[in-house]
Amino acid sequence: MKPIVAELTISSIQRFDTMYRVEATSKDELPRIVAGQFAHIKVPNKNLRRPICVYKSTKNTITFIIADVGEGTHAFVSQKAGDKFDAVLPLGNGFPVLPDKTNIALLGGGTGCAPLLKIAEDNPSLNITALLGFRNAEAKGAYKADFDKYCKRVCYCTDDGSLGYHGFPTDLLTEIAPEVLYVCGAHGMMKTAKEYCKKLGVIGFASMEQRMGCGVGACLVCSVKIMDNGKEKLLRACADGPVFPLEDIVL
């Protein structure tokens, strides 16, 4: 679907540790957005937009999970309910759902969990296990009970042991046997997931979190190194991704 410029109004901003849950409304109907697609949002007093994955969406609402990690994201989450902003959406290619595969696993960490929810929300017939990692229990609060609602099983992991398993979600990969693994997170998580998929013959897809300039494939800032027929090539996360087959990504 062709991207539009959506005029949005913030309805709520909630802070959970260093992460924020931002909910907004649109007076006009929003286009359908699939898991893994993102919005290029206008940030106060900044020339460049910021790419933020779409966590949840309906015809007139949209939710983002945003980490306060830089000037742009800090400026955005410093806004308040009632403030307006615009976003170019939907952008990028999302996660493919394979019709003959029903045993699914989601693997995410921090804001990397955000692109994964819509896989479960939009495909209720799938048998989905989610392995999700956070700094602490407070950070997990940004997702409320959303994953519990849409997944068959959810395993929470925290760095400090304040919720669920004390350790990394990748530690639990050996306890599951999915047909397809969807992942988004830090480089180490991606690398472990890729090795796991290769060893067990699991199909994997990953959403690559990259810095972006234009968001539409013109500036090449967001290049991702991919193996194609034994040769390395650069593809654009914004236009060719951000989702790629995990086995193809050079990590």
Side-chain angles (χ1 to χ4, degrees), residues 114-129:
L116 305 174
L117 178 73
K118 284 178 72 66
I119 298 173
E121 184 178 10
D122 294 345
N123 300 277
S125 65
L126 298 179
N127 178 31
I128 297 182
T129 295

Side-chain angles (χ1 to χ4, degrees), residues 4-222:
I4 66 166
V5 179
E7 301 293 335
L8 302 168
T9 302
I10 296 174
S11 53
S12 70
I13 294 184
Q14 296 173 281
R15 179 180 178 179
F16 302 87
D17 192 41
T18 60
M19 301 194 340
Y20 291 75
R21 184 182 178 112
V22 181
E23 299 177 344
T25 59
S26 171
K27 65 178 181 179
D28 298 318
E29 185 172 317
L30 297 172
R32 180 175 180 268
I33 302 171
V34 302
Q37 289 188 303
F38 68 96
H40 221 199
I41 62 175
K42 185 71 176 68
V43 175
N45 303 314
K46 298 293 180 182
N47 292 325
L48 289 179
R49 293 175 178 269
R50 296 303 193 271
I52 303 294
C53 84
V54 175
Y55 175 55
K56 290 173 66 70
S57 65
T58 67
K59 290 182 179 180
N60 295 99
T61 67
I62 192 164
T63 303
F64 304 102
I65 304 294
I66 301 175
D68 184 359
V69 293
E71 291 184 5
T73 51
H74 180 73
F76 188 81
V77 299
S78 295
Q79 297 179 101
K80 60 184 184 300
D83 286 345
K84 300 180 183 299
F85 68 99
D86 67 66
V88 182
L89 56 84
L91 294 172
N93 298 302
F95 288 102
V97 176
L98 308 181
D100 59 337
K101 307 297 183 183
T102 59
N103 191 19
I104 307 299
L106 312 178
L107 176 66
T111 54
C113 301
L116 305 174
L117 178 73
K118 284 178 72 66
I119 298 173
E121 184 178 10
D122 294 345
N123 300 277
S125 65
L126 298 179
N127 178 31
I128 297 182
T129 295
L131 308 178
L132 310 175
F134 303 96
R135 277 167 35 101
N136 50 45
E138 182 183 358
K140 179 267 171 190
Y143 295 94
K144 300 186 178 181
D146 297 336
F147 280 93
D148 300 274
K149 180 178 179 180
Y150 296 109
C151 298
K152 298 297 188 294
R153 178 189 178 200
V154 183
C155 300
Y156 294 109
C157 309
T158 49
D159 296 344
D160 65 357
S162 57
L163 176 70
Y165 174 74
H166 186 185
F168 301 120
T170 48
D171 297 344
L172 305 181
L173 279 174
T174 55
E175 298 184 13
I176 60 175
E179 296 173 282
V180 185
L181 176 67
Y182 299 98
V183 58
C184 183
H187 183 275
M189 175 182 287
M190 296 279 198
K191 187 174 182 179
T192 300
K194 181 177 179 179
E195 292 169 353
Y196 167 84
C197 288
K198 182 178 180 180
K199 181 178 179 180
L200 298 183
V202 174
I203 300 169
F205 295 98
S207 176
M208 299 299 291
E209 297 180 326
Q210 300 286 99
R211 290 184 178 273
M212 293 183 187
C214 68
V216 294
C219 70
L220 305 181
V221 168
C222 62

